[in-house]
Amino acid sequence: MKNVIYSLLLACVFSPLMAQHREIAFEHTPLSDLLARSAKEHKLVFVDCYTSWCGPCKEMSTHVFTKDTVADFFNTQLISLKLDMEKGEGPEVGKKYRVGAYPSYLLLNEKGELVYKFIGGMPAEEFLKKVSEGMDPDNRVAQIFRRYEAGDRSPALMREYIVLTIRNKEIKRGKELNIEYTQSLTAQQKLLPENWFLYGENQFTRELSDMHSPNFTYLVEHWQDFAKVKGIDSINLKISGVFRKLTSYCLQGYYQKDIGYQKEDFIVYRKQIKHTQVPDKKDLMIMMDIAEAACQGDAQLVTNLIADHIAQFSSPNMDIIFAYLSFIPSYKKKEYPRWEEIIHTVAAHSQNHFLVDHVKSYF
């Protein structure tokens, strides 16, 4: 089966067609009808999950779905459905198959079971390659699904499944799998190199080990154990980075929107910082005051705290000024007399030339 698919794909890609005038023949009928056709025709159903406002979706429709090589392959090998995720049965389908980004592409068998999924805009060649991989009944995604549903919770499978869901923007599911996996690990197993992606600074940080996450909470409460295997500098950089980001998110309003301000949380944050040996502990404690004042909407207190302490901050911690300048933009500076004092102090002390150039633009 796999060889047949690749042969068809190669034939489409390298056929000497002159003009590009064909396109994928998307159906406009309910998914249930197409699944019934799938059973009769022994073809998978391809679903393009899009929205009307999605830029990459439009790019794919205009520049990829209209290529002859793509159209010829799809129109002979698949049953295709283009589904707006905000209309009709779109929201229901999106919920069932955990569509968390647009465009998302689904390959479904006749039973409506997901056999493959991938996301994003891409060139036609890459798109065809991914679809071809998904049509193989033994593709890696299908294997992971089958093994997990059969009860396999082996560490290697769980790690791969977590990464798969995060990459496909199934964030809620990825977090659920993370909790299931980490709860199965011993304290020593959590320290293994293969599990560091759950706790360290990497491409999965935002979803797995950022502020207010169970993984970061575990890391900061067991930093001594992690330091023995990862080195104290690596752990300190991670901890400081998260609290610095937390402060910036509060100044930008993201924290209040995504997490919600709770005074009790900031009590916990301060206890966590005190428990560490980060070299910028004093900075971080002050930043929690700044962050909490921002959450409470006290712009004057935020400004005074920054003006009083920013000169003593490490250069990386001075980067919160980027967020401060969105919290109190320049057109409001007359309301806060110490605004310009902050700008000149940062220009004199920061080692980040991007920040220095930015604040100097206000001189």
Side-chain angles (χ1 to χ4, degrees):
M1 179 63 180
K2 186 174 182 179
N3 290 334
V4 171
I5 293 172
Y6 278 123
S7 297
L8 289 167
L9 176 60
L10 290 172
C12 288
V13 171
F14 293 107
S15 58
L17 299 173
M18 298 298 292
Q20 295 291 326
H21 60 273
R22 292 185 289 280
E23 61 185 65
I24 297 176
F26 285 105
E27 301 290 345
H28 301 283
T29 56
L31 176 59
S32 57
D33 292 349
L34 300 185
L35 294 176
R37 271 185 57 190
S38 172
K40 295 179 181 179
E41 299 179 18
H42 305 292
K43 294 180 179 179
L44 294 175
V45 175
F46 169 82
V47 185
D48 171 36
C49 302
Y50 77 100
T51 66
S52 60
W53 46 264
C54 166
C57 300
K58 295 176 183 178
E59 287 291 313
M60 293 296 290
S61 293
T62 303
H63 300 295
V64 176
F65 298 164
T66 55
K67 284 191 175 292
D68 287 349
T69 50
V70 174
D72 292 344
F73 184 78
F74 270 69
N75 295 342
T76 57
Q77 303 303 314
L78 296 162
I79 300 170
S80 303
L81 173 65
K82 194 173 184 64
L83 195 58
D84 189 329
M85 290 289 100
E86 297 180 331
K87 297 179 180 179
E89 64 178 330
E92 180 182 349
V93 170
K95 182 178 180 180
K96 180 176 181 179
Y97 297 106
R98 302 190 183 97
V99 175
Y102 311 109
S104 285
Y105 314 106
L106 314 176
L107 284 174
L108 310 176
N109 64 20
E110 61 191 50
K111 297 178 182 179
E113 297 169 337
L114 182 66
V115 297
Y116 198 70
K117 179 181 182 180
F118 61 107
I119 67 171
M122 62 196 72
E125 293 76 12
E126 182 181 354
F127 180 66
L128 282 172
K129 181 179 179 181
K130 285 184 176 292
V131 170
S132 175
E133 292 172 353
M135 291 173 69
D136 180 356
D138 284 327
N139 73 72
R140 188 58 186 163
V141 173
Q143 290 181 30
I144 292 172
F145 289 163
R146 286 198 299 265
R147 288 174 57 188
Y148 181 86
E149 292 302 320
D152 187 346
R153 298 295 187 273
S154 60
L157 179 77
M158 291 299 293
R159 290 193 296 270
E160 191 172 1
Y161 198 3
I162 291 169
V163 170
L164 173 66
T165 55
I166 296 299
R167 284 180 173 164
N168 278 338
K169 301 304 179 183
E170 298 177 23
I171 307 305
K172 181 180 178 181
R173 181 56 175 158
K175 291 181 177 180
E176 292 171 349
L177 292 168
N178 166 71
I179 291 174
E180 180 182 6
Y181 177 52
T182 54
Q183 287 180 345
S184 73
L185 300 175
T186 66
Q188 287 301 311
Q189 288 172 327
K190 290 176 181 179
L191 302 177
L192 294 174
E194 56 265 34
N195 289 323
W196 179 239
F197 79 100
L198 300 170
Y199 304 98
E201 197 68 20
N202 51 55
Q203 59 183 312
F204 308 111
T205 292
R206 183 172 181 176
E207 294 81 12
L208 298 177
S209 63
D210 214 342
M211 65 194 78
H212 213 71
S213 68
N215 286 3
F216 179 70
T217 297
Y218 185 87
L219 171 72
V220 78
E221 291 178 353
H222 299 82
W223 65 266
Q224 299 98 325
D225 297 328
F226 282 97
K228 292 175 183 177
V229 296
K230 296 300 298 183
I232 187 63
D233 291 342
S234 176
I235 303 305
N236 284 342
L237 285 172
K238 169 68 180 183
I239 293 172
S240 294
V242 169
F243 286 115
R244 181 166 55 249
K245 185 186 298 184
L246 187 156
T247 305
S248 291
Y249 274 31
C250 290
L251 288 167
Q252 294 168 312
Y254 300 141
Y255 182 95
Q256 299 89 309
K257 179 181 177 181
D258 297 339
I259 297 174
Y261 168 66
Q262 297 289 333
K263 189 173 185 64
E264 295 77 11
D265 290 338
F266 281 82
I267 293 173
V268 171
Y269 298 151
R270 291 183 178 95
K271 287 182 178 178
Q272 289 175 335
I273 294 169
K274 287 180 180 178
H275 174 65
T276 70
Q277 291 183 0
V278 290
D280 56 346
K281 184 181 295 188
K282 185 177 179 180
D283 289 5
L284 299 183
M285 293 298 288
I286 294 168
M287 283 197 283
M288 290 306 96
D289 295 338
I290 294 169
E292 190 164 16
C295 286
Q296 295 170 341
D298 193 336
Q300 194 63 63
L301 179 56
V302 167
T303 300
N304 287 335
L305 284 167
I306 293 177
D308 288 343
H309 300 285
I310 195 69
Q312 287 75 48
F313 275 14
S314 68
S315 183
N317 289 336
M318 285 186 182
D319 287 351
I320 66 168
I321 298 305
F322 282 119
Y324 172 73
L325 291 173
S326 66
F327 182 68
I328 302 179
S330 59
Y331 68 85
K332 290 185 176 182
K333 65 182 181 180
K334 291 183 179 180
E335 300 174 36
Y336 304 94
R338 303 188 74 183
W339 190 92
E340 290 192 0
E341 176 188 340
I342 292 170
I343 297 303
H344 284 85
T345 300
V346 171
H349 292 88
S350 174
Q351 297 175 18
N352 181 345
H353 68 88
F354 293 108
L355 177 58
V356 172
D357 290 344
H358 184 64
V359 297
K360 282 185 175 180
S361 68
Y362 293 105
F363 287 4

